[in-house]
């Protein structure tokens, strides 16, 4: 299993580098008198030791108002609360032996232009003495919705899923619709995408290949939407709509998001865990 862990973490690092390069290239190709944004990279660690990663954040760019791309590989012992939560999901033996290892890449992009959709993506592998699994997905969060963009995003994700299993897209789309729902607002935080967790079919190579597909497909699904919308003129009313929609994103990530809760409970760098929060938001 150690060799498989290394392969997974190495690939997540490659995916991180690919996305960072693609986002900086998108900055360079965006028409603006402002300087093109660049990522600032900060090492991250767990408070209790046991691995770390890199937090890469770009602020105030031409295309991106704030975008973070985080990579981490961590290990240690789960807190009793985290172990209990995993046991409730069916992870065998985790409360008796709460050791864990996890590696993955996670990103959230908040855009300058309100017509250009915000987006989230992550892929990860998790290991405990009793089990291993993959998880991840991507979802689109426009503040001003365009049916064309939503359809194109979903069609691209479906194509990636279908290359591995025709049942994946309908299953993981439905999972995303449920997972990214904000109960206290009685609405979704965006227009969905795919989400999956605890993926262990018994074939590590197949599950890893699908997780790689999710990472590669993300740029194919998202960047064309940026090309279409980044130069659309917008008004102060559009900006107000964007800031209020970001409030939904902040509420969801602080109250419900499983990754936020795990990152804080496992002692990872709080700034990296909360990287997903928008730079500015507003509530009505």
């Amino acid at each position: 299993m150690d060799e498989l862990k290394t392969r997974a973490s190495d690939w997540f690092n490659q995916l991180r580098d690919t996305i960072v390069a693609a986002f900086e290239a998108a900055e360079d190709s965006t028409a603006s008198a402002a300087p093109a944004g660049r990522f600032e990279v900060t090492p991250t660690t767990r408070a209790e030791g046991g691995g770390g990663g890199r937090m890469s954040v770009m602020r105030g760019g031409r295309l991106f108002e704030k975008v973070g791309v985080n990579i981490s590989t961590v290990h240690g012992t789960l807190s009793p609360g985290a172990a209990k939560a995993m046991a409730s999901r069916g992870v065998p033996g985790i409360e008796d032996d709460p050791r864990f290892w996890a590696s993955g890449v996670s990103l959230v992009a908040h855009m300058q232009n309100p017509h250009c959709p915000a987006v989230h993506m992550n892929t990860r592998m998790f290991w405990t003495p009793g089990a291993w699994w993959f998880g991840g997905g991507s979802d689109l969060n426009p503040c001003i919705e365009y049916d064309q963009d939503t359809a194109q995003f979903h069609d691209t994700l479906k194509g990636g899923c279908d290359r591995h299993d025709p049942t994946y897209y309908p299953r993981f789309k439905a999972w995303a619709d449920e997972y990214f729902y904000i109960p206290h607002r009685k609405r979704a935080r965006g227009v969905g995408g795919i989400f999956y967790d605890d993926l262990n079919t018994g074939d590590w190579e197949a599950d890893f290949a699908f997780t790689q597909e999710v990472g590669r497909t993300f740029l194919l699904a998202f960047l064309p939407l940026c090309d279409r919308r980044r130069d659309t003129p917008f008004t102060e009313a559009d900006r107000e709509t964007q800031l209020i929609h970001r409030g939904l994103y902040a509420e969801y990530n602080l109250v419900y998001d499983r990754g936020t809760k795990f990152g804080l409970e496992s002692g990872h760098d709080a700034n990296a865990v909360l990287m997903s929060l928008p730079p500015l938001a507003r509530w009505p």
Side-chain angles (χ1 to χ4, degrees):
M1 180 54 70
D2 285 346
E3 178 185 352
L4 300 182
K5 292 178 186 176
T6 299
R7 283 179 56 196
S9 63
D10 285 350
W11 189 82
F12 292 138
N13 273 283
Q14 293 172 21
L15 177 63
R16 176 263 173 206
D17 293 347
T18 297
I19 292 171
V20 165
F23 280 2
E24 290 189 343
E27 276 287 304
D28 291 338
S29 62
T30 299
S32 173
R38 286 295 180 266
F39 283 95
E40 297 179 4
V41 182
T42 305
T44 62
T45 58
R46 290 183 65 239
E48 294 83 9
R54 287 176 291 163
M55 175 175 63
S56 302
V57 180
M58 181 195 304
R59 297 178 177 87
R62 295 171 176 174
L63 177 64
F64 301 99
E65 186 171 2
K66 178 187 176 186
V67 55
V69 184
N70 286 357
I71 180 77
S72 64
T73 299
V74 296
H75 57 87
T77 302
L78 292 171
S79 68
K84 183 177 181 179
M86 286 195 175
S88 70
R89 287 163 45 194
V91 179
I94 191 65
E95 290 187 285
D96 295 327
D97 188 349
R99 288 176 295 156
F100 80 98
W101 176 97
S103 183
V105 60
S106 179
L107 74 85
V108 175
H110 299 287
M111 316 304 290
Q112 290 281 15
N113 192 317
H115 295 275
C116 199
V119 74
H120 155 262
M121 189 279 295
N122 77 86
T123 56
R124 60 191 177 273
M125 177 188 163
F126 207 97
W127 172 92
T128 71
W132 57 262
W133 64 91
F134 290 93
S138 181
D139 67 296
L140 199 66
N141 297 270
C143 66
I144 299 172
E145 295 182 17
Y146 290 93
D147 291 343
Q148 178 187 12
D149 293 359
T150 300
Q152 182 172 337
F153 185 79
H154 277 271
D155 286 348
T156 306
L157 296 184
K158 182 178 184 300
C161 290
D162 288 351
R163 284 188 281 275
H164 294 263
D165 187 321
T167 71
Y168 277 177
Y169 175 75
R171 286 171 52 198
F172 298 156
K173 177 189 181 300
W175 201 339
D177 290 342
E178 178 181 1
Y179 183 72
F180 295 115
Y181 184 78
I182 306 174
H184 66 271
R185 295 293 186 184
K186 296 181 173 56
R187 60 158 294 174
R189 78 173 189 186
V191 296
I194 60 171
F195 176 81
Y196 65 102
D197 208 353
D198 305 328
L199 180 64
N200 179 340
T201 65
D203 186 336
W204 189 92
E205 294 290 350
D207 296 344
F208 182 40
F210 173 68
T211 297
Q212 290 174 292
E213 185 79 58
V214 171
R216 286 191 296 265
T217 302
F218 163 72
L219 289 175
L220 299 175
F222 177 61
L223 287 180
L225 309 186
C226 296
D227 291 340
R228 181 181 296 143
R229 304 296 173 191
R230 61 187 171 188
D231 296 323
T232 302
F234 62 91
T235 65
E236 285 300 316
D238 294 335
R239 176 64 167 168
E240 180 75 6
T241 297
Q242 181 187 49
L243 295 179
I244 291 174
H245 186 82
R246 285 178 177 176
L248 292 174
Y249 203 96
E251 290 177 17
Y252 177 85
N253 278 36
L254 290 173
V255 177
Y256 301 111
D257 186 72
R258 185 185 295 175
T260 301
K261 291 180 180 179
F262 174 79
L264 294 175
E265 287 184 2
S266 63
H268 198 57
D269 186 295
N271 288 330
V273 175
L274 299 175
M275 168 276 295
S276 61
L277 295 179
L280 294 171
R282 191 169 296 163
W283 281 263

